[in-house]
Amino acid sequence: MSRYLLLAFFGALTVEATTHVNLSDSISGDSSGGCSSPYTMVAGRCLYINFATSGTWDRFHSMYCKDTGGNDLVTVDDANFLADLVQYITSIGWQDGLFWIGASDKSHEGHWIWPNGSPVKMGTPFWGTYGCYNQQYPDGGTNENCAILDGNANLYFNDFKCDTALAVFGICEKNI
Ligand SMILES: [Ca+2]
């Protein structure tokens, strides 16, 4: 058996083992409240990031996250969770990506809220900085009303045009 075949063999074993864990979780857990595929536990939350599907903030907010069995775009209201989420995205090689999160100031400029209506924490360590003088996002006024984790700003928050569809992925969350 060549080295590559061996690698493929162990790769298949790993996939098998992972599948088994997920299966037994879903059997022993409460299926109505559990974190089931395509959602998976990341940093203690039930999340789904499809790296093959980009789209506008509204597409994920009003359709995609619910259509895939989740609730909405992710709420990132805890600094430790943000750090763990950034570490996860980095560990799978997507640290340069752009990812919608649930924060928006669409309904009232400058008043950032999560999908459940709770206020978004402003400043460090959530929002990124830019430029020579380390100005801090949000900076787009009424033109930019939806937040991303910005791979150009170390995956801190940046306000972005909500109707950007190209190369922005959504981080969906299922409340469990
Ligand atoms: Ca705005």
Side-chain angles (χ1 to χ4, degrees):
M1 195 182 282
S2 80
R3 201 160 65 109
Y4 296 105
L5 271 176
L6 262 180
L7 282 175
F9 176 69
F10 283 116
L13 270 186
T14 309
V15 169
E16 176 75 7
T18 310
T19 309
H20 265 288
V21 169
N22 288 341
L23 271 179
S24 48
D25 275 352
S26 59
I27 290 166
S28 61
D30 173 10
S31 59
S32 61
C35 186
S36 49
S37 178
Y39 284 73
T40 187
M41 294 302 291
V42 175
R45 307 271 281 268
C46 183
L47 306 181
Y48 177 45
I49 311 173
N50 183 342
F51 297 99
T53 300
S54 66
T56 65
W57 188 89
D58 267 321
R59 181 179 175 205
F60 286 97
H61 169 65
S62 60
M63 287 185 290
Y64 190 81
C65 293
K66 292 177 184 71
D67 288 350
T68 54
N71 291 91
D72 212 316
L73 283 163
V74 65
T75 293
V76 188
D77 53 359
D78 178 277
N80 289 324
F81 171 56
L82 174 60
D84 289 346
L85 182 57
V86 167
Q87 189 177 38
Y88 168 74
I89 292 170
T90 302
S91 75
I92 54 175
W94 281 87
Q95 64 274 9
D96 297 328
L98 309 176
F99 303 95
W100 293 123
I101 56 176
S104 138
D105 74 336
K106 278 163 168 269
S107 48
H108 183 184
E109 173 57 29
H111 181 66
W112 288 84
I113 55 171
W114 295 110
N116 71 359
S118 65
V120 175
K121 291 169 185 158
M122 306 308 291
T124 306
F126 295 99
W127 292 81
T129 57
Y130 62 96
C132 305
Y133 302 103
N134 281 328
Q135 292 152 283
Q136 194 156 35
Y137 297 118
D139 70 335
T142 53
N143 288 324
E144 300 185 349
N145 300 326
C146 296
I148 57 169
L149 297 187
D150 186 350
N152 299 308
N154 299 313
L155 295 172
Y156 288 109
F157 299 5
N158 179 8
D159 55 330
F160 220 61
K161 284 182 186 298
C162 299
D163 59 358
T164 309
L166 193 63
V168 191
F169 304 95
I171 304 177
C172 294
E173 178 168 19
K174 181 179 181 185
N175 304 326
I176 56 170

